């Protein structure tokens, strides 16, 4: 089914652009109902407007998180949204916001028929990263998808490329996941890696990662539009031993398992 997306952005919007370009070329079966930013100056808003997409913004400055999220939900409620896509949205979302997007989209329910246990993934509210088999229960999933530039659980947080580079990993990667109530955490839809090459510097390393982000995000969204979210989760669960070998260190996973609501990150 064709997906209706709300894209949330804070900055330059290169992932959003990749999604819009993929829709335009027919590589992604989706419509972007709205692009929202907490940064009214975001470059992404200009790009979205140039594509003829509805844009909305509301700065979080001077507002409590609760107030801001309530207003954002009010704004978003004007639009048809199957999935909220976080494409560089530099705000941590509270459970209150997430719960407005509990897995109620029809295709989530349809896809759940016959859902089998997955490995290595966890339900929101479950114990962190348990390897025990879990069933994907659409009633416990949020229709919110994030892209993070590392192989989670390694290097969560706002400086993933820099942290991976500093740690000297031979390869890093990109994770696309459903958002749960922890930070940079939730059932993984897809991961892919890229190499650190001899002669790289942080800029070339980042550029290689970003190019991968732009390829993967539209492709994973297209997979979801074709198959539904549960089959995509199941497929990843079936191949996760491959990605596991790329996980350089789990040292970041403890910080990922703590809410960091007070630790806002700078808008790019
Ligand atoms: C990307 O690296 C994304 O993975 C991360 O924030 C960055 C956003 O960049 N969550 P852009 O705004 O899409 O160019």
């Amino acid at each position: 089914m064709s997906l209706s997306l709300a894209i949330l952005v804070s900055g330059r919007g290169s992932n959003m652009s990749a999604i819009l370009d993929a829709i335009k070329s027919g590589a992604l079966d989706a419509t972007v109902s709205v692009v929202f930013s907490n940064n009214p100056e975001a470059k992404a808003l200009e790009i979205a407007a140039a594509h003829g997409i509805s844009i909305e913004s509301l700065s979080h400055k001077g507002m409590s998180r609760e107030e801001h999220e309530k207003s954002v939900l009010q704004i978003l409620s004007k639009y048809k949204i199957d999935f909220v896509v976080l494409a560089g949205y530099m705000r941590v979302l509270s459970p209150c916001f997430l719960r407005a997007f509990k897995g109620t989209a029809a295709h989530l329910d349809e896809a759940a028929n016959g859902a089998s246990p997955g490995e290595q993934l966890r339900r929101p509210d479950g114990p962190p990263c348990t390897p025990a088999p879990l069933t994907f229960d659409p009633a416990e999933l949020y229709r919110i998808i994030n892209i993070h530039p590392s192989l989670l659980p390694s290097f969560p947080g706002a400086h993933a490329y820099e942290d991976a580079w500093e740690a000297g990993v031979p390869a890093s990667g990109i994770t696309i996941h459903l958002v749960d109530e922890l930070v940079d955490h939730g059932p993984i839809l897809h991961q892919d890696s890229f190499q650190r090459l001899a002669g790289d510097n942080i800029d070339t390393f980042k550029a290689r990662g970003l190019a991968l982000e732009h390829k993967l995000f539209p492709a994973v969204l297209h997979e979801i539009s074709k198959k539904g979210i549960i089959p995509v989760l199941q497929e990843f669960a079936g191949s996760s031993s491959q990605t596991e070998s790329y996980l350089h260190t789990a040292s970041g996973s403890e910080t990922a398992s703590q809410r960091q609501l007070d630790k806002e990150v700078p808008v790019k």
Side-chain angles (χ1 to χ4, degrees):
M1 75 178 247
S2 185
L3 303 177
S4 288
L5 307 175
I7 305 185
L8 272 50
V9 292
S10 294
R12 74 189 158 186
S14 68
N15 277 288
M16 180 206 70
S17 296
I19 291 168
L20 295 179
D21 290 347
I23 291 174
K24 211 170 185 177
S25 75
L28 165 56
D29 187 9
T31 310
V32 177
S33 320
V34 61
V35 171
F36 171 82
S37 183
N38 64 314
N39 169 16
E41 308 301 318
K43 177 89 186 138
L45 291 176
E46 276 174 46
I47 301 171
H51 275 77
I53 308 285
S54 299
I55 56 169
E56 302 266 11
S57 68
L58 178 67
S59 171
H60 58 279
K61 287 182 189 155
M63 289 177 102
S64 70
R65 182 177 309 279
E66 197 191 342
E67 261 179 331
H68 185 253
E69 288 189 347
K70 266 192 189 163
S71 304
V72 177
L73 285 173
Q74 216 157 32
I75 291 170
L76 295 182
S77 70
K78 296 190 283 179
Y79 300 92
K80 177 175 172 348
I81 300 170
D82 294 320
F83 289 94
V84 172
V85 172
L86 305 180
Y89 189 62
M90 307 308 271
R91 297 274 297 168
V92 173
L93 296 169
S94 81
C96 158
F97 185 95
L98 301 180
R99 283 170 193 164
F101 293 97
K102 266 219 184 268
T104 52
H107 59 281
L108 267 187
D109 296 332
E110 284 160 20
N113 291 332
S116 65
E119 290 171 353
Q120 290 217 324
L121 303 179
R122 59 177 290 278
R123 292 181 299 175
D125 302 328
C129 295
T130 170
L134 292 168
T135 303
F136 298 117
D137 179 353
E140 302 213 27
L141 298 174
Y142 302 123
R143 292 177 285 121
I144 304 183
I145 300 170
N146 184 42
I147 186 162
H148 182 78
S150 76
L151 292 169
L152 291 173
S154 297
F155 312 115
H159 308 288
Y161 280 123
E162 288 79 5
D163 294 346
W165 174 262
E166 290 294 322
V169 291
S172 189
I174 305 301
T175 302
I176 296 172
H177 65 99
L178 287 181
V179 170
D180 71 9
E181 297 187 5
L182 307 178
V183 176
D184 290 332
H185 201 275
I188 294 176
L189 292 155
H190 194 80
Q191 280 185 319
D192 212 341
S193 64
F194 64 92
Q195 301 298 311
R196 175 191 184 120
L197 301 179
D200 261 354
N201 56 43
I202 179 67
D203 293 331
T204 54
F205 179 73
K206 263 177 149 170
R208 192 171 305 111
L210 197 60
L212 186 57
E213 293 191 46
H214 297 163
K215 193 176 115 197
L216 290 184
F217 215 177
V220 170
L221 292 172
H222 188 62
E223 283 295 290
I224 294 168
S225 79
K226 279 196 310 191
K227 301 175 182 168
I229 198 103
I230 304 288
V232 175
L233 286 168
Q234 285 170 330
E235 269 166 40
F236 179 76
S239 67
S240 58
S241 57
Q242 293 170 22
T243 52
E244 179 66 12
S245 65
Y246 290 108
L247 296 178
H248 179 71
T249 167
S251 65
S253 61
E254 278 186 14
T255 51
S257 70
Q258 293 154 6
R259 299 293 305 163
Q260 294 173 12
L261 291 176
D262 297 329
K263 220 172 151 194
E264 283 309 336
V265 290
V267 168
K268 283 175 197 161

